[in-house]
Amino acid sequence: MMGRRSFDRTDIEAAINHENWVLERCLDLLNERKSLSDWDDEVAEALLGAIADDGVRNEPEAEKARKLRHHLFENEAGPTARPDKAHVTTAERIRADLAGLVPAGAGLHLTH
């Protein structure tokens, strides 16, 4: 019989706080219209993982990625997605929440 995996409350809270920080940093950088090359590597990889519809394991997540890509970049191609980062928890958090926090087209400056 497999044992139950134990999670420490402090570790869980720290992970949630870190996901919040990455999401907030992504918002700040989009609002400041910073070039992707000026982003923290982890934050850039989380965004590029969040828009990687071909890197997720199920259709609902792929649809979230497509919707986020369309929301951020409208009809532009957008930056190259990172399917290898699609399942990082920070990418999943961005995929779940970012579109509701920024206006449509908020990432267009990243396409030029």
Side-chain angles (χ1 to χ4, degrees), residues 3-17:
R4 267 191 118 158
R5 187 172 175 188
S6 174
F7 293 100
D8 181 88
R9 180 185 175 120
T10 304
D11 292 339
I12 294 170
E13 289 174 354
I16 291 168
N17 287 335

Side-chain angles (χ1 to χ4, degrees), residues 13-25:
E13 289 174 354
I16 291 168
N17 287 335
H18 183 72
E19 290 173 19
N20 288 341
W21 175 83
V22 171
L23 178 63
E24 289 172 13
R25 189 72 182 124

Side-chain angles (χ1 to χ4, degrees), residues 2 5 8 11 15 30 34-36 43 50 52 61-62 67 70 92-93 99 103 105 108-109:
M2 290 182 60
R5 187 172 175 188
D8 181 88
D11 292 339
L30 285 170
K34 294 284 185 177
S35 168
L36 201 55
V43 179
E61 284 299 307
K67 284 182 179 181
H70 181 73
E92 291 172 347
R93 176 67 189 278
L108 282 172
H109 68 279

Side-chain angles (χ1 to χ4, degrees), residues 44-75:
E45 289 175 356
L47 175 67
L48 298 175
I51 61 172
D53 62 317
D54 57 341
V56 295
R57 297 181 190 113
N58 60 59
E59 185 53 33
E61 284 299 307
E63 184 60 22
K64 285 181 195 175
R66 287 189 291 272
K67 284 182 179 181
L68 178 59
R69 177 181 282 280
H70 181 73
H71 182 79
L72 292 175
F73 309 112
E74 297 179 334
N75 293 324

Side-chain angles (χ1 to χ4, degrees), residues 25-40 43-44 47 73 79 106-112:
R25 189 72 182 124
C26 186
L27 285 168
D28 290 343
L29 293 165
L30 285 170
N31 287 330
E32 293 168 11
R33 300 181 52 81
K34 294 284 185 177
S35 168
L36 201 55
S37 63
D38 294 332
W39 288 38
D40 305 302
V43 179
L47 175 67
F73 309 112
L108 282 172
H109 68 279
L110 301 175
T111 64
H112 301 84

